[in-house]
Amino acid sequence: MSSTTAFVSIGDLRKGHKAVSEVIETGGGCGTTGGEGKASCGTSAGPDDMPQEIWDKVKNHPCYSEEAHHHYARMHVAVAPACNIQCNYCNRKYDCSNESRPGVVSQKLTPEQAVKKVVAVASEIPQMTVLGIAGPGDSLASPTKTFATFKMLQEQAPDIKLCLSTNGLALPALVDEICKYNIDHVTITINMVDPEVGAKIYPWIFWEHKRVTGVEAARILHEQQMKGLEMLTERGVLTKINSVLIPGINDEHLIEVNREVKKRGAFLHNIMPLISEAEHGTWFGLNGQRGPTAQELKAVQDACMGGANLMRHCRQCRADAVGLLGEDRSEEFTLDKIEEMEIVYDLDKRRTYQDKVEAERQAQVDAKRAALVAAQADDGVDPSIKVLVAVATEGHGKVNQHFGHATEFQIFEVSKAEALFVGHRRVDLYCQGGYGEDEALPSVVSAINDCHAVLVSKIGACPRDELKAAGIEPVDQYAHEFIEKAALSWFSDYRQRIASGAITHQVRGDAQIRQGAFTSGTEAAA
Ligand code: CLF
Ligand code: SF4
């Protein structure tokens, strides 16, 4: 750590510690400024919670702002094929698990093809505000391709924020290059701060032209990750840490990881579930290493509360994902389709559209505030009651999806004090070809069986009955309303029913599902 630099997280700023601007001043370097004052980040923070300069960087980044992810899209371009380490959850057939999900193979692009694709997407999807390079290998193991792409984009699409994800091994040597291209957002995958733990995750790294194995490999990787994080913090780059939760290997250890990355100025910590199936062919998959349940994931995330701020809305995107988090429109933008498109990059049109998005977002914030005021009225019911609510949504922050069309539910923890996004649960599609798929229903119910209610725009009689039988209330009366408002309104109604004696509050059990989708793979290592 530089002797002139104090590392602080945004959470520290709220408590009155040094602001990012001070860190930048003492550490020198390029980039951004921060400011004094209260700041937090958390996934749901808003403009009142952080310095304006930081809010400007995160407000339309769907990963760095939970609120933004309802409205703004990101895209990845797969220009970085190589990797310089081996993770036991990667079998080099799938996209990089720094930022991906299994079972998909990216169309690899040259930097020129990538830039063409970004401009095409930006002209079709004006709310696409962030371009990330996240594989399919490691973005910094192919620095020439990665930075050539960023350089061209900076010139051709200057309003798009640039973002990259890396395992961190090559990071310290490339931090200055990152700053040169105004890359404001960097993700480092950090699964351990103890090389003994690391040796169970990384069999080898490729370092200084040699393959290094075991604890020594993990030690070098750890040192490079910490150094890279410190250097980014010194320069005011917002750095998010992704950690893969591997039960029995780093579950408890991630609390220490959270503490160490907070000390070094990490902006967000995103703890993601490992999925490790034998058919993926990874070392973990073939050796019986399981992924965490939703409950295990939430328990580790909850144990980290109060440390580095947590991101809980990650969708583990593939390395060529396009669209809102949780949706993938990459099939609409394959190279042959782009060739046939008439591409006009109209900055004014993009700005006009984004102004409308901001108006909608403000309406959502206002609706939530009003609902919170109503929820806080004294009703004589235990004020500490907290419940989980599942929500079917297609975006725009609204309850706007049919139960049968949902492939995931957003989960909100609702109390008198807040409606807090705490994760999402992937489910099998219930409605297929216009008919309910009864075989899918038990798995959907079990995925949300720790929730008291499911908010949907519409639901058929059969799933309605099944949900009720499982003790989950199907609710369609808030169709097309903003999610937090709907969740808080339902909760107020729920409390009134308790107050009137119509129902009694029940504590619900755990969801018995594996959470998320995660392994990956990639191209050959260097
Ligand atoms: Fe991509 Fe990552 Fe940038 Fe986002 S994804 S490089 S920070 S623009 Fe986001 Fe996707 Fe999760 Fe990554 S949801 S996998 S955290
Ligand atoms: Fe690990 Fe595979 Fe990503 Fe390389 S490409 S960092 S081996 S997951």
Side-chain angles (χ1 to χ4, degrees), residues 61 63-64 74 76 98-100 130 132-134 163-165 187 240 242 270 311 313-317 325:
H61 193 307
C63 305
Y64 282 68
R74 55 73 187 101
H76 291 160
N98 286 322
E99 303 282 345
S100 73
V130 176
I133 297 182
C163 194
L164 70 78
S165 145
T187 295
K240 171 167 69 63
N242 281 359
N270 173 24
M311 172 186 186
H313 61 284
C314 175
R315 296 299 197 281
Q316 294 168 279
C317 324
L325 302 191

